[in-house]
Amino acid sequence: MTKIKRNTALLAASAAVLTLTAPLAASASTVTKATGASRTSAAGAGLDWTTCEGHGPDSRQQCATLAVPLDYAHPDGEQIEIAISRIKSEQPAARRGALLLIAGGPGGSSIDDPSGKGQRLPQSVRDSHDLIGFDPRGLGRSTPVSCGFEDTDIAPSKLRPWPAADGSVTENMAAAQRMSDACAHNGGALIRHISTADNARDIDRIRAALGEKRISAWAVSYGTYVGAVYNQLFPHRTDRIVLDSNDDPNPARVGRGWLAAHERGVEETFPEFAKWASRPGNKYRLASTAAEVRPLFLRLAERLDRAPIPWEGADPAELNGNVLRQTMLNAMGDPDDFPALAELILGAERGSLPPAPPAPPEEAIQNSVTVGSATLCNDVAWPGTTAAYQKGATASRAAFPLTAGMPRNAMPCAAWPFEPKEAPVRVTDRGPSNVLLVQNERDPYTPLSGALKLREALGRRAVMVTVDATGHDSYLANGNACGDRTVSRFLATGERPRRDTHCS
């Protein structure tokens, strides 16, 4: 099975973002009129494809920009740009259509995925589909936006809302206010028009600009919610839809529910780390039995809460309890990252830490966190009182000590200055039956319990493949051969299992 290797430094890039895209455009919060040959409206005859910037993409990958409305309530008003990429079908005679790659996040990009993970798709899928990537509105090569957050608020261990060592959320509420004030001051008009529903509408503009009557998609993590919302708003514009590592679509909670799910997801995943970390012959062995690993980790985190260890080159420049917890959270997403976590634990026990991982570029973090925050906060209103978050964090700390109350704590949405412009889309079973869900049993970020909620909401429209595997991202990453074969067959031929199935 092919693994997609992650850099653990990048995994902490935003409060809800699991991957981070490098920015390829200057930070800006203004919108532009759609003029010039490179900006093609959805009603136009096509897109002006050119060679992509940078040295990373496959030489076959082409790029274009598409003008879409800043505000879909005023479609003829101000326009912004969406950056799109493609690698064309490798066998035009077998071409069926376009496969849109929808990234996680919010705040993640698929602009280089046709050159990257798209090339892991089997030949039959690459023959039958053009592979399409894009930067969501506000991100990267699309018309970008940045709130200009304070440096201390975007340190890796600050981006998820870890309570203080004593469980207090007071500083988290202060950070939420600072970050929300920055977005109100620096975000311009675009910050109010970044939401999942608008991402779905942009996707339909992409589909139309490509000249496709229907479009297929492979969506991952937060992208599964985007894909489900698109399939709800434009059901008869969809072809073969794969939703991989699935979010609970509960319209009353949306992103708040996704964050809360981390507490259960980590508890379900950590035992796999404990088994690995107690295995005889493991050079990073932490204990002689799996049962000893969890209390060892909890004791070390508590000790580091009281007495952090200096860590040159890290941000912040110390290993404290929350930095350790964040590193643990990162590592749970991919078993390939277990050694880095164990090495850090061993180093902390000895008082000699390994080199700090490199930090992502600040501009990239600023852009990604801005888009992620805007999406989460514009999708649904969050509670605004300290008492609400303190109650949730305290209860979570008691029931799920590994995550120390973080999943029920305050994010910038607790002080967001704007009301949602529309209610969240309710995902239902109305529409064609063309969805395949693939889900690992042990996923720290999008646990099986949430995926089952999406499966229930889609009803007859979907079939679900549950994979006996550990980690986030199942298909062609942290799943297994059975799950991969099932998804590949569906994308290439349209054949789905007749009923929900389990891949051992």
Side-chain angles (χ1 to χ4, degrees):
M1 178 179 65
T2 301
K3 293 274 189 179
I4 299 175
K5 185 63 181 170
R6 296 175 180 81
N7 183 318
T8 55
L10 303 187
L11 283 168
S14 96
V17 178
L18 302 177
T19 56
L20 177 67
T21 57
L24 293 171
S27 174
S29 59
T30 57
V31 294
T32 59
K33 292 287 187 180
T35 58
S38 67
R39 301 176 182 136
T40 307
S41 73
L47 292 159
D48 183 14
W49 295 103
T50 62
T51 301
C52 297
E53 299 177 7
H55 302 289
D58 188 303
S59 61
R60 297 170 299 166
Q61 182 172 299
Q62 300 172 303
C63 289
T65 54
L66 169 68
V68 302
L70 168 70
D71 182 354
Y72 277 95
H74 303 284
D76 296 325
E78 294 286 345
Q79 304 287 297
I80 58 174
E81 291 183 346
I82 301 297
I84 311 168
S85 62
R86 76 171 178 188
I87 290 181
K88 297 176 72 173
S89 161
E90 296 179 29
Q91 185 58 258
R95 185 186 182 278
R96 176 182 178 85
L99 176 66
L100 185 70
L101 309 175
I102 307 178
S109 168
S110 65
I111 194 74
D112 285 332
D113 282 356
S115 297
K117 76 177 199 176
Q119 295 307 302
R120 297 183 173 91
L121 288 162
Q123 189 68 48
S124 57
V125 178
R126 302 201 312 271
D127 286 346
S128 58
H129 293 84
D130 296 345
L131 304 182
I132 308 297
F134 68 107
D135 275 338
R137 59 173 47 211
L139 190 72
R141 294 183 180 94
S142 296
T143 302
V145 62
S146 175
C147 292
F149 300 117
E150 293 184 14
D151 291 348
T152 54
D153 287 331
I154 58 173
S157 62
K158 295 290 187 180
L159 286 170
R160 281 186 176 84
W162 298 98
D166 64 358
S168 169
V169 304
T170 302
E171 176 51 34
N172 302 106
M173 292 296 289
Q177 189 66 61
R178 284 193 303 272
M179 296 178 78
S180 295
D181 289 346
C183 288
H185 186 261
N186 300 319
L190 181 52
I191 198 72
R192 303 191 66 183
H193 297 281
I194 297 175
S195 69
T196 299
D198 281 334
N199 286 339
R201 295 178 182 113
D202 291 343
I203 286 173
D204 202 54
R205 293 294 183 110
I206 293 172
R207 175 203 57 78
L210 293 170
E212 302 291 335
K213 291 183 179 180
R214 297 186 299 165
I215 194 165
S216 295
W218 171 20
V220 178
S221 193
Y222 162 72
T224 64
Y225 182 61
V226 178
V229 168
Y230 179 71
N231 211 8
Q232 186 68 36
L233 296 178
F234 304 97
H236 298 291
R237 298 299 190 186
T238 59
D239 191 10
R240 298 168 183 170
I241 305 298
V242 171
L243 304 181
D244 174 358
S245 305
N246 298 275
D247 278 317
D248 182 347
N250 182 350
R253 291 171 62 81
V254 196
R256 187 176 171 220
W258 307 336
L259 185 67
H262 285 40
E263 62 188 15
R264 188 170 301 278
V266 168
E267 290 287 348
E268 293 170 349
T269 307
F270 192 88
E272 297 301 310
F273 170 71
K275 287 189 288 187
W276 173 89
S278 59
R279 188 177 301 155
N282 183 351
K283 65 180 286 190
Y284 298 109
R285 194 180 190 195
L286 299 178
S288 58
T289 67
E292 296 174 278
V293 175
R294 178 189 172 94
L296 180 155
F297 176 85
L298 292 173
R299 286 195 303 270
L300 177 60
E302 290 172 1
R303 192 187 90 198
L304 292 170
D305 283 337
R306 298 188 302 270
I309 300 173
W311 198 8
E312 185 178 354
D315 184 14
E318 65 177 24
L319 178 63
N320 58 41
N322 283 340
V323 171
L324 179 69
R325 294 181 184 102
Q326 180 63 54
T327 305
M328 179 274 296
L329 179 65
N330 295 347
M332 293 301 101
D334 185 347
D336 281 357
D337 290 335
F338 287 176
L341 172 60
E343 183 181 20
L344 184 62
I345 292 171
L346 290 170
E349 295 281 10
R350 295 191 302 261
S352 176
L353 300 179
E362 181 178 340
E363 184 182 6
I365 301 176
Q366 290 278 1
N367 184 211
S368 179
V369 176
T370 296
V371 172
S373 298
T375 307
L376 294 170
C377 303
N378 288 334
D379 271 0
V380 68
W382 290 46
T385 67
T386 301
Y389 294 103
Q390 188 65 70
K391 179 180 178 181
T394 300
S396 182
R397 284 168 71 86
F400 303 98
L402 286 171
T403 45
M406 178 276 293
R408 300 191 214 177
N409 199 2
M411 294 179 67
C413 308
W416 198 243
F418 313 113
E419 292 293 324
K421 289 185 172 294
E422 58 185 316
V425 174
R426 182 178 294 276
V427 176
T428 74
D429 62 357
R430 296 190 295 274
S433 183
N434 61 355
V435 181
L436 179 65
L437 282 69
V438 59
Q439 177 70 38
N440 283 353
E441 288 186 325
R442 297 168 296 279
D443 183 328
Y445 313 133
T446 58
L448 179 59
S449 56
L452 291 170
K453 294 292 186 181
L454 180 57
R455 172 68 188 90
E456 179 182 5
L458 288 167
R460 64 169 190 83
R461 300 191 67 186
V463 171
M464 182 167 170
V465 180
T466 305
V467 181
D468 182 7
T470 299
H472 188 61
D473 296 6
S474 182
Y475 180 48
L476 304 181
N478 291 312
N480 65 24
C482 166
D484 290 352
R485 284 194 305 270
T486 304
V487 176
S488 295
R489 185 183 307 116
F490 173 63
L491 288 174
T493 70
E495 179 185 343
R496 280 186 320 184
R498 293 187 177 182
R499 59 185 64 87
D500 293 355
T501 189
H502 182 268
C503 274
S504 298

